[in-house]
Amino acid sequence: MKKLLLLGSALLLQLNGRAQLQNANFETWESPITDQIGSNRPIGWTRTNGIAGSENYNFYHSAASPAQNGNYALRLSIWYSYDKDMAKQVAPINYRPAALTGHYTYTDNQVRIDEIELDNATVSVKLTKVNPATGQPEIVGTGLLNLDAAAEFSLFTCPIAYVSNEIPDTIEVLLDCSRLDKNENWKQVVPLSTSGIGSIFTVDNLMLTMSLGTSNVAISRIDAYPNPATADFHLPNFSGDVKIYDMTGKTVATYQNVTNKIDVGSLSSGIYLISLIGEHGNQNLKLVKR
């Protein structure tokens, strides 16, 4: 009997170690679900717009229905030139998932800034582990995926690229309805919809997976140079988006529609993680900045 109990405990620990994100299908909400604007929040998720202090608010939209799976999904959007919703979850983890998958729709994603342009939704994943010597979290792996318009629920896969062999202790997932930054150009944003609501990003049925599946294209490694760098950092034959993190996991720079190189001259001296998001997936590079 004692052996059976020990085996059961070990199995339970293993299953907990492989546990998915909390409320990843958005079925459970903190408040009774109503149609009232700004009254609801899904359990396990916080709302942010990228500015400190915005986490205390509920999401603009109530639980979305119909969903891809179950009764409800999460709906995020921008509205007028006032604000936007992002959904964030930070959770413990003790394994190395290969990807985050889910289903989404994305509609009304035309906005006017200086001219009419298409918006993109993004899904990002960040895995960190506390360094016992410093007490600070350090990047283990990241994933970032840009999503285009989709009128019907469509499957997405956000691959995670690892920069070390460590087992992470924390995962952060961020769902963003717009590539536009609330800190920078928000007052100039005008949704084209007459309702003032735009870039409507509906997400459901998230899952961390241990395999990318057979449909993913292998990523060619990029021989970036120079490293260490002082100004231009060359990325031969690369085109896409780039995010730069310091080693605590803080985003310090974002570049969109990059072709072949980025300028890192404004970064302070130190070690950084560069996440490259290209046509066939993403990969990570370590950069030493002089």
Side-chain angles (χ1 to χ4, degrees):
M1 177 65 72
K2 188 173 182 180
K3 283 187 176 181
L4 288 175
L5 289 173
L6 290 173
L7 286 172
S9 298
L11 179 60
L12 181 60
L13 286 172
Q14 184 178 12
L15 290 174
N16 285 339
R18 290 293 186 266
Q20 295 296 322
L21 297 166
Q22 183 183 8
N23 197 20
N25 58 357
F26 305 103
E27 291 297 288
T28 310
W29 294 69
E30 289 183 355
S31 305
I33 295 173
T34 71
D35 292 331
Q36 184 177 351
I37 291 173
S39 63
N40 296 135
R41 185 184 304 196
I43 294 288
W45 296 88
T46 57
R47 181 265 185 197
T48 180
N49 61 16
I51 297 176
S54 66
E55 295 86 355
N56 298 324
Y57 296 95
N58 288 331
F59 290 88
Y60 183 85
H61 296 277
S62 59
S65 184
Q68 186 272 333
N69 184 57
N71 295 315
Y72 303 113
L74 176 69
R75 180 160 294 154
L76 311 170
S77 75
I78 63 176
W79 53 95
Y80 293 100
S81 57
Y82 303 139
D83 212 348
K84 74 167 180 174
D85 273 337
M86 296 187 283
K88 182 170 72 172
Q89 183 172 143
V90 179
I93 194 170
N94 64 358
Y95 68 105
R96 292 162 62 96
L100 173 70
T101 67
H103 293 78
Y104 82 103
T105 65
Y106 193 48
T107 59
D108 296 296
N109 61 317
Q110 282 191 317
V111 295
R112 184 190 297 276
I113 304 178
D114 295 324
E115 58 185 20
I116 295 174
E117 55 185 85
L118 289 177
D119 202 359
N120 294 104
T122 62
V123 175
S124 63
V125 182
K126 183 166 63 179
L127 294 151
T128 58
K129 181 179 181 178
V130 172
N131 184 329
T134 64
Q136 297 297 315
E138 294 185 352
I139 287 283
V140 176
T142 64
L144 180 64
L145 181 67
N146 292 327
L147 296 173
D148 296 321
E152 304 292 334
F153 274 107
S154 303
L155 175 69
F156 70 78
T157 299
C158 178
I160 299 170
Y162 287 90
V163 72
S164 79
N165 294 322
E166 298 287 347
I167 302 297
D169 57 28
T170 302
I171 183 170
E172 177 183 303
V173 173
L174 186 67
L175 309 171
D176 191 344
C177 68
S178 175
R179 62 178 171 78
L180 302 170
D181 191 334
K182 182 75 169 64
N183 287 285
E184 294 179 0
N185 52 6
W186 200 258
K187 290 183 179 180
Q188 288 74 45
V189 174
V190 180
L192 296 190
S193 169
T194 57
S195 69
I197 298 172
S199 300
I200 303 171
F201 184 33
T202 305
V203 186
D204 199 11
N205 203 17
L206 298 177
M207 183 177 296
L208 293 169
T209 67
M210 299 303 294
S211 172
L212 289 176
T214 57
S215 63
N216 287 273
V217 180
I219 303 169
S220 300
R221 296 301 302 176
I222 293 176
D223 295 321
Y225 66 92
N227 200 353
T230 56
D232 284 347
F233 186 56
H234 294 269
L235 304 164
N237 302 316
F238 172 79
S239 61
D241 296 339
V242 178
K243 269 199 168 185
I244 301 182
Y245 304 89
D246 65 20
M247 294 312 292
T248 70
K250 179 183 178 182
T251 303
V252 296
T254 301
Y255 306 83
Q256 292 178 339
N257 302 318
V258 169
T259 303
N260 295 327
K261 70 177 182 178
I262 56 174
D263 182 1
V264 297
S266 62
L267 297 178
S268 301
S269 297
I271 299 175
Y272 296 90
L273 174 70
I274 295 185
S275 184
L276 306 176
I277 305 95
E279 180 182 357
H280 299 309
N282 71 312
Q283 62 180 280
N284 290 336
L285 305 171
K286 268 190 176 178
L287 167 69
V288 178
K289 171 60 170 55
R290 282 181 176 166

